[in-house]
Amino acid sequence: MGYMIALFGIAVCVLFCGVGSCLGLYKTGTAAAGVLGEEPKKFGKVMVLVLLPATQGIYGFIIGLIASAKLAAGMETALGWAVFAAVMPMALSGFFSALMQGKCAANCIYAVGKQESLSGKLIVYPGMIEFYAILGLIISIMLVGGIAI
């Protein structure tokens, strides 16, 4: 039973982070398409803003790989719950930060469309949201690392 609980937690983490990134990238990609449709030369200015929500999917994948090393046939239920709980900070922070970062970055892309000189300054706002995804990554790494098999 513990194996299935741990496996479910890892799957939820990777899935939530991936879905959050996809939705965030949808927001930034559509915003960039609108801006670039009028001014294609701004591609370089908006590309970093477009890609920011993708990092949470990568973080979820990393936690999935690290946590999968803790999987063992016949795991005790308590150990399965420990793995499940350890990956949840990344699952939740990854999902929600990717969504919010996508919305924030999309608005920054619209602003770059109006005033190109703001591109360097505007990366700060979605970058602040990234910080919370990184905190979730660090906590999950610490928690998973602390689980003794």
Side-chain angles (χ1 to χ4, degrees):
M1 186 66 158
Y3 181 85
M4 292 304 296
I5 294 167
L7 193 62
F8 180 69
I10 293 168
V12 165
C13 179
V14 173
L15 181 69
F16 275 28
C17 290
V19 168
S21 285
C22 286
L23 294 171
L25 287 167
Y26 168 75
K27 295 291 284 180
T28 59
T30 54
V35 168
L36 295 175
E38 293 185 18
E39 296 187 56
K41 66 180 174 95
K42 292 185 178 178
F43 178 80
K45 300 283 186 183
V46 301
M47 188 48 125
V48 173
L49 290 166
V50 169
L51 293 175
L52 277 173
T55 56
Q56 286 85 336
I58 296 167
Y59 300 159
F61 181 74
I62 290 168
I63 292 300
L65 288 175
I66 293 170
S68 66
K70 300 292 182 176
L71 292 174
M75 288 175 75
E76 293 181 15
T77 304
L79 188 56
W81 281 115
V83 172
F84 182 91
V87 300
M88 284 302 108
M90 186 68 253
L92 296 174
S93 69
F95 178 75
F96 288 111
S97 67
L99 283 177
M100 297 302 111
Q101 191 175 51
K103 290 179 180 184
C104 180
N107 286 319
C108 292
I109 290 167
Y110 294 137
V112 170
K114 292 181 179 189
Q115 191 171 348
E116 189 174 352
S117 64
L118 291 175
S119 65
K121 296 174 184 170
L122 290 174
I123 198 166
V124 171
Y125 301 117
M128 289 188 292
I129 298 169
E130 182 79 19
F131 176 72
Y132 292 95
I134 293 170
L135 290 179
L137 174 68
I138 292 169
I139 291 298
S140 284
I141 289 172
M142 290 171 51
L143 292 174
V144 169
I147 297 172
I149 298 178

